[in-house]
Amino acid sequence: MGVRGLQGFVGSTCPHICTVVNFKELAEHHRSKYPGCTPTIVVDAMCCLRYWYTPESWICGGQWREYFSALRDFVKTFTAAGIKLIFFFDGMVEQDKRDEWVKRRLKNNREISRIFHYIKSHKEQPGRNMFFIPSGLAVFTRFALKTLGQETLCSLQEADYEVASYGLQHNCLGILGEDTDYLIYDTCPYFSISELCLESLDTVMLCREKLCESLGLRVADLPLLACLLGNDIIPEGMFESFRYKCLSSYTSVKENFDKKGNIILAVSDHISKVLHLYQGEKKLEEILPLGPNKALFYKGMASYLLPGQKSPWFFQKPKGVITLDKQVISMSSDAESREEVPMCSDPESRQEVPMCTGAESRQEVPMCTGPESRREVPMYTDSEPRPEVPMCSDPESRQEVPVCTGPESRQEVPMCSDPEPRQEVPMCTGPESRQEVPMYTDSEPRQEVPMYTGPESRQEVLIWTDPESRQEIMCTGHESKQEVSICTDPISKQEDSMCTHPEINKKLPVATDFEFKLEALMRTNPEIKQEDPTNVGPEVKQQVTMVSDTEILKVARTHHVQAESYLVYNIMSSGEIECSNTLEDELDQALPSQAFIYRPIRQRVYSLLLEDCQDVTSTCPAVKEWFVYPGNPLRHPDLVRPLQMTIPGGMPSLKILWLNEEPEIQVRRLDTLLACFNLSSSREELQAVESPFQALCCLLIYLFVQVDTLCLEDLHAFIAQALCLQGKSTSQLVNLQPDYINPRAVQLGSLLVRGLTTLVLVNSACGFPWKTSDFMPWNVFDGKLFHQKYLQSEKGYAVEVLLEQNRSRLTKFHNLKAIVCKACMKENRRITGRAHWGSHHAGRWGRQGSSYHRTGSGYSRSSQGQPWRDQGPADPSAVQ
């Protein structure tokens, strides 16, 4: 993560940048400097997972009771020092970083292959050098921290940006993490989690000011250095030749430094001695070999600008205008404006014209005429030049369509016109001005349709995408009651809404991020030429969601930000989700990947969350799934369609499930949850099960119905470990040691834990019919304990031995086993012992008479199909 080579450079070449500090002393100094202000540390939780996971065993599925205890000790230590912790988790993967995400997942696949090879060869857990965090660790850490009373937040964009922003805006003591990007951001101090000694609260502070002194740079130069070296946005190879040119002309190469260290010194030297000479006189693209990578480079630069910050390296046009051939785009680096950036496109020319805010005025700049004066209002306000800036021309009418720049100018400046109807569709911005701006014309209505984004307006707007032409279109509807939420900064908590045109029947996923999809514009409009991409900031972020009900979206967004749900908001907003690597043996053809096993559940959840779609099977858009499984090259997401389900009383709306507090609604919530697992027929039996085994029992029924290579011995091991766990102390679990490590048991442990994360998704989507604590792994699963029970069951040990001769557990065991077996029999699935297996268990899986096939989880046991991992994406014809 972070800047290529910088971590090693700091440790080897510039060790003086790292200073040992003590958090207790820093907190005391902070309290004396800011009386009444609690010292607060912002924690990048994703960077800390490896540090927090201290249990010796990690291969068996996770030592969750031990892990929870370690987290509790971590929190207690800081609390005792009077330090408040704010934890941030990644809530999504930004599109610019998807390639890097894929690269890391594929690398992890290779590591997992080596892990299973080691297990098969040695029958033991590999050393810590091959450590792989247990599946679901990030998800369950959120809930563990919340259980411990900590403020836990899930990001709406890249987490490191939100961490850096929060630390800057709230005058925090510092940031705790392990990412060199925090050296680049101009924010509060950055502390290393890997160097933290919890007993003394000593750690290492990495000082960006000292880094700049060593490199001869200014803090404002660090984003430029980061992009030239390569980071998560800029591929390392993009400026490779440039770096070597810098190295060849660098006169102070030190033989005792490594190659990357010398490159960092050479690039820094070039910035300070060459680029500084032209700063303010030439554009960056004139002094750097940006070439066709100009847009990506500016995105990388802008990604480091926090709210209120600007870069001296952006050649400033008046008010930050970006010209894309016939398009004009205004972008602001001032994140505090946080205003909507409406876009208008001409359906013929396919040109998108975003409208943005003034970087200094912090308010939206109106683009057209006010309804009272009927005089054209210019788009940009520049106090000096007031010439017209040509924006686009109509190819048929040959008329130039200028944009006027003077705030006091009274000239009419049409913005965009359509040669056919020649009528204007005004657009109004600004919460107070209520001035309308002609954006483009509509050939049908032949009348002005005002568009307004101010908070007092009752007029509504939709941005949508035509799947045929791939044009982004903005339209309005006064009578529509449907709204589409625009994501805003989680700190400001501001909500803006957009509404749908009453004639639009389908809700199509659209995502326009802070760079306005410049690459997409360039791909679909080859004629576009960039002239000056400047002042782009991730805070100018806009998203049109798949669900139009803003009230429901607000609830989903709140649960997401507060880390109370999993994947729900991602599905409803962008229609895109991901799941990282799982310990799965790619050579084991008998057990399917968790990605396929739990897919039918996710598909039913999609039909619930995307309730606006009338005909779920045909019109509802597919959800893009970036799920890692053996054999998946991750070149494209799997496009997965929602799956209809039958619920007693019919499909309830999300407003009923999420907002209705009447007691009888709890019954409907549970009915919906069981329908997601296709277990409505087992409702009475499951309700009779006590907590926390009800959720686990539901999950086991689903697993054994889905996967016919699971046998009776597996069921015994799952149930026995859950029952025995209730009587175990943390110290007993620490001292537990399985005889050896079985690769199949490793997969089953990870499979169950992934099922528990799926339960989090379903439970939050259905309005929380079950207590979340009932299926937290520290209450129902322990990796080593399961491994022990699995090995005993595989050897044919009696149930009494599995249950450690405890009579009360024996009764519960038989009750749970009977419920699972009975429910499976209803689905024509008879669970047998391994001794009864025939050759048909060599690799086929799925439920008898399944209708899922490729749109579901897999093949029927009666089919003659291929092994599971040949099935490909859920909708192969839809792969883009």
Side-chain angles (χ1 to χ4, degrees):
M1 294 185 296
V3 183
R4 304 288 190 270
L6 187 56
Q7 187 70 46
F9 173 80
V10 168
S12 61
T13 307
C14 300
H16 63 281
I17 293 172
C18 306
T19 305
V20 177
V21 295
N22 182 270
F23 277 127
K24 294 178 184 178
E25 297 174 1
L26 293 176
E28 286 298 325
H29 178 72
H30 191 275
R31 275 187 287 266
S32 62
K33 187 175 181 180
Y34 306 102
C37 180
T38 302
T40 302
I41 295 177
V42 196
V43 182
D44 186 338
M46 302 300 290
C47 294
C48 301
L49 294 178
R50 288 175 176 265
Y51 175 89
W52 288 332
Y53 192 86
T54 56
E56 179 183 344
S57 174
W58 48 268
I59 198 72
C60 299
Q63 303 309 114
W64 296 98
R65 192 79 64 80
E66 296 178 55
Y67 180 65
F68 187 86
S69 178
L71 282 178
R72 182 171 51 212
D73 291 343
F74 182 87
V75 170
K76 279 184 177 180
T77 303
F78 279 92
T79 302
I83 299 173
K84 180 181 178 181
L85 300 174
I86 305 289
F87 297 89
F88 274 85
F89 286 82
D90 275 324
M92 53 86 72
V93 177
E94 291 191 357
Q95 292 306 313
D96 289 331
K97 300 193 176 183
R98 177 63 69 186
D99 289 344
E100 184 66 26
W101 184 89
V102 168
K103 185 189 300 182
R104 291 173 183 171
R105 303 292 79 77
L106 296 178
K107 179 177 180 289
N108 288 344
N109 278 344
R110 295 190 291 271
E111 295 173 353
I112 290 173
S113 295
R114 289 194 292 268
I115 289 172
F116 275 100
H117 178 76
Y118 185 94
I119 294 172
K120 293 172 184 177
S121 301
H122 298 83
K123 293 189 175 182
E124 65 182 16
Q125 174 179 283
R128 191 77 179 189
N129 62 310
M130 297 179 73
F131 172 72
F132 196 86
I133 63 174
S135 300
L137 191 68
V139 177
F140 292 119
T141 302
R142 305 178 199 171
F143 292 95
L145 291 170
K146 292 184 75 67
T147 301
L148 294 169
Q150 299 303 293
E151 185 172 349
T152 307
L153 302 173
C154 198
S155 70
L156 290 169
Q157 59 190 91
E158 190 67 23
D160 59 3
Y161 182 86
E162 293 194 11
V163 167
S165 298
Y166 190 96
L168 177 66
Q169 293 178 346
H170 292 80
N171 192 30
C172 290
L173 187 64
I175 293 169
L176 185 60
E178 203 68 31
D179 189 336
T180 49
D181 275 336
Y182 294 126
L183 268 175
I184 307 301
Y185 287 112
D186 188 4
T187 182
C188 59
Y190 161 42
F191 305 104
S192 169
I193 181 65
S194 64
E195 300 293 334
L196 174 65
C197 174
L198 192 60
E199 291 75 17
S200 63
L201 282 182
D202 287 336
T203 190
V204 166
M205 179 179 73
L206 291 86
C207 181
R208 63 183 64 88
E209 287 77 13
K210 290 184 179 180
L211 175 64
C212 288
E213 290 177 7
S214 300
L215 299 177
L217 301 178
R218 304 164 302 192
V219 172
D221 299 330
L222 291 178
L224 176 61
L225 174 67
C227 291
L228 292 175
L229 294 176
N231 52 26
D232 287 349
I233 294 179
I234 308 296
E236 189 173 11
M238 182 180 293
F239 294 104
E240 186 172 8
S241 60
F242 169 77
R243 291 194 294 270
Y244 278 98
K245 286 181 180 178
C246 293
L247 187 62
S248 63
S249 61
Y250 183 49
T251 57
S252 303
V253 173
K254 300 180 181 179
E255 295 181 358
N256 58 327
F257 288 175
D258 60 13
K259 180 178 177 181
K260 286 192 174 180
N262 279 321
I263 287 177
I264 292 175
L265 291 171
V267 173
S268 301
D269 186 70
H270 185 82
I271 293 173
S272 63
K273 294 182 179 178
V274 178
L275 301 188
H276 278 173
L277 294 177
Y278 300 102
Q279 190 174 12
E281 299 178 7
K282 293 184 179 181
K283 302 177 184 179
L284 263 178
E285 57 264 31
E286 295 177 2
I287 54 179
L288 285 176
L290 301 184
N293 302 311
K294 186 192 307 182
L296 187 61
F297 177 79
Y298 278 109
K299 284 185 236 175
M301 288 277 288
S303 69
Y304 290 110
L305 298 182
L306 299 179
Q309 296 179 352
K310 298 178 182 179
S311 173
W313 287 103
F314 288 139
F315 183 81
Q316 306 290 336
K317 274 192 176 182
K319 301 303 178 183
V321 179
I322 299 176
T323 307
L324 298 180
D325 195 23
K326 297 180 181 180
Q327 304 182 18
V328 175
I329 300 178
S330 169
M331 297 187 179
S332 168
S333 64
D334 186 352
E336 294 179 3
S337 63
R338 303 278 179 182
E339 302 286 353
E340 290 184 357
V341 186
M343 300 180 75
C344 163
S345 67
D346 182 345
E348 298 298 326
S349 65
R350 299 190 180 187
Q351 297 172 349
E352 297 180 4
V353 185
M355 185 183 70
C356 189
T357 64
E360 298 177 2
S361 64
R362 303 185 187 274
Q363 60 184 351
E364 291 188 330
V365 182
M367 290 176 74
C368 318
T369 63
E372 297 178 4
S373 64
R374 295 295 177 188
R375 289 178 297 194
E376 301 286 349
V377 179
M379 183 171 180
Y380 295 102
T381 57
D382 186 303
S383 56
E384 296 298 330
R386 298 179 186 268
E388 294 184 348
V389 181
M391 181 166 182
C392 62
S393 61
D394 182 34
E396 296 185 15
S397 63
R398 300 176 182 265
Q399 295 177 347
E400 272 198 348
V401 187
V403 176
C404 181
T405 59
E408 299 175 1
S409 170
R410 300 181 181 272
Q411 300 174 342
E412 291 192 355
V413 185
M415 179 163 180
C416 184
S417 64
D418 187 333
E420 294 299 327
R422 302 189 182 277
Q423 296 181 349
E424 296 176 342
V425 181
M427 180 171 215
C428 179
T429 64
E432 298 177 1
S433 68
R434 294 188 179 258
Q435 295 172 330
E436 297 178 349
V437 184
M439 283 280 290
Y440 66 95
T441 64
D442 186 349
S443 57
E444 292 299 325
R446 302 278 183 177
Q447 58 183 357
E448 292 186 348
V449 183
M451 302 175 79
Y452 178 67
T453 58
E456 299 177 7
S457 172
R458 298 182 180 275
Q459 298 169 354
E460 303 164 334
V461 180
L462 168 73
I463 299 179
W464 62 286
T465 298
D466 182 349
E468 301 290 337
S469 63
R470 296 188 179 181
Q471 299 171 350
E472 290 189 356
I473 302 171
M474 198 168 199
C475 53
T476 64
H478 292 289
E479 300 175 0
S480 172
K481 300 295 182 184
Q482 298 172 319
E483 297 183 341
V484 177
S485 172
I486 300 290
C487 295
T488 57
D489 180 22
I491 298 172
S492 64
K493 305 291 184 184
Q494 295 176 346
E495 293 272 341
D496 296 320
S497 63
M498 286 189 157
C499 294
T500 64
H501 192 285
E503 297 178 1
I504 296 176
N505 296 321
K506 293 194 293 185
K507 314 298 181 300
L508 299 174
V510 180
T512 56
D513 50 18
F514 71 89
E515 68 275 9
F516 299 107
K517 300 294 180 188
L518 294 182
E519 298 124 308
L521 285 173
M522 295 171 69
R523 285 195 298 268
T524 57
N525 299 272
E527 72 279 5
I528 293 177
K529 298 177 182 178
Q530 293 175 287
E531 296 180 7
D532 187 21
T534 66
N535 288 3
V536 190
E539 66 279 2
V540 188
K541 183 161 184 175
Q542 185 178 28
Q543 184 180 45
V544 178
T545 60
M546 295 182 70
V547 175
S548 61
D549 191 324
T550 53
E551 184 179 15
I552 285 299
L553 276 169
K554 184 176 181 180
V555 175
R557 182 179 180 274
T558 299
H559 286 312
H560 174 94
V561 171
Q562 295 178 355
E564 296 172 347
S565 65
Y566 171 58
L567 297 182
V568 170
Y569 184 70
N570 306 65
I571 295 166
M572 299 176 72
S573 58
S574 66
E576 187 170 22
I577 61 173
E578 55 274 323
C579 181
S580 189
N581 305 77
T582 305
L583 282 179
E584 296 174 339
D585 184 5
E586 63 180 355
L587 301 179
D588 183 358
Q589 293 289 319
L591 281 175
S593 170
Q594 64 88 19
F596 293 116
I597 291 176
Y598 298 116
R599 176 176 283 173
I601 299 176
R602 298 194 301 272
Q603 289 178 280
R604 296 188 184 101
V605 170
Y606 301 158
S607 70
L608 176 66
L609 298 179
L610 306 178
E611 60 180 343
D612 287 346
C613 305
Q614 299 296 322
D615 183 353
V616 175
T617 58
S618 60
T619 64
C620 202
V623 174
K624 297 178 181 179
E625 291 190 347
W626 293 91
F627 275 60
V628 181
Y629 53 83
N632 182 11
L634 293 172
R635 285 190 288 267
H636 306 282
D638 290 345
L639 303 187
V640 181
R641 298 284 177 184
L643 188 64
Q644 288 182 317
M645 56 181 169
T646 303
I647 304 175
M651 176 80 83
S653 68
L654 292 179
K655 285 190 175 180
I656 291 176
L657 294 176
W658 294 6
L659 303 178
N660 195 317
E661 300 296 334
E662 296 177 5
E664 59 270 19
I665 301 302
Q666 190 69 4
V667 175
R668 300 205 68 184
R669 294 187 182 109
L670 180 58
D671 285 340
T672 307
L673 182 146
L674 294 178
C676 289
F677 284 88
N678 199 32
L679 294 179
S680 298
S681 61
S682 300
R683 185 180 189 278
E684 293 183 6
E685 293 88 343
L686 285 170
Q687 276 195 301
V689 178
E690 62 180 291
S691 298
F693 305 113
Q694 194 176 62
L696 178 66
C697 197
C698 172
L699 183 56
L700 290 177
I701 294 171
Y702 178 83
L703 278 175
F704 279 80
V705 168
Q706 285 295 117
V707 186
D708 70 352
T709 53
L710 293 176
C711 62
L712 200 59
E713 290 83 358
D714 300 329
L715 179 61
H716 288 176
F718 279 127
I719 297 176
Q721 74 86 28
L723 291 172
C724 293
L725 179 61
Q726 309 307 311
K728 300 286 185 184
S729 66
T730 302
S731 60
Q732 287 176 311
L733 295 171
V734 170
N735 295 324
L736 191 65
Q737 294 298 331
D739 294 338
Y740 61 92
I741 300 299
N742 180 291
R744 186 172 184 275
V746 169
Q747 276 195 263
L748 291 181
S750 295
L751 179 60
L752 185 80
V753 172
R754 285 298 188 194
L756 295 177
T757 63
T758 304
L759 266 169
V760 177
L761 164 63
V762 178
N763 194 55
S764 51
C766 296
F768 304 96
W770 282 338
K771 293 181 180 179
T772 306
S773 60
D774 285 350
F775 45 89
M776 290 296 103
W778 47 87
N779 290 328
V780 294
F781 180 79
D782 179 88
K784 284 194 297 184
L785 184 59
F786 168 72
H787 219 89
Q788 182 190 66
K789 301 307 176 185
Y790 177 90
L791 296 178
Q792 293 175 345
S793 182
E794 186 184 43
K795 293 175 182 177
Y797 283 28
V799 172
E800 290 79 6
V801 177
L802 296 181
L803 299 173
E804 303 169 2
Q805 308 298 333
N806 187 303
R807 288 184 176 272
S808 63
R809 293 175 190 163
L810 185 62
T811 302
K812 293 178 181 178
F813 176 91
H814 287 299
N815 287 339
L816 293 176
K817 177 183 175 181
I819 290 173
V820 173
C821 291
K822 181 180 178 181
C824 289
M825 285 299 293
K826 291 180 181 179
E827 300 295 328
N828 298 319
R829 165 71 160 102
R830 183 169 177 265
I831 305 175
T832 61
R834 190 171 288 111
H836 299 285
W837 279 7
S839 59
H840 71 285
H841 284 89
R844 298 187 191 127
W845 64 282
R847 53 180 300 170
Q848 184 80 21
S850 170
S851 61
Y852 304 148
H853 303 292
R854 287 178 183 261
T855 61
S857 60
Y859 293 95
S860 165
R861 295 202 306 275
S862 61
S863 73
Q864 302 299 316
Q866 306 95 320
W868 61 271
R869 60 181 92 252
D870 292 333
Q871 68 178 291
D875 188 4
S877 63
V879 172
Q880 296 174 340

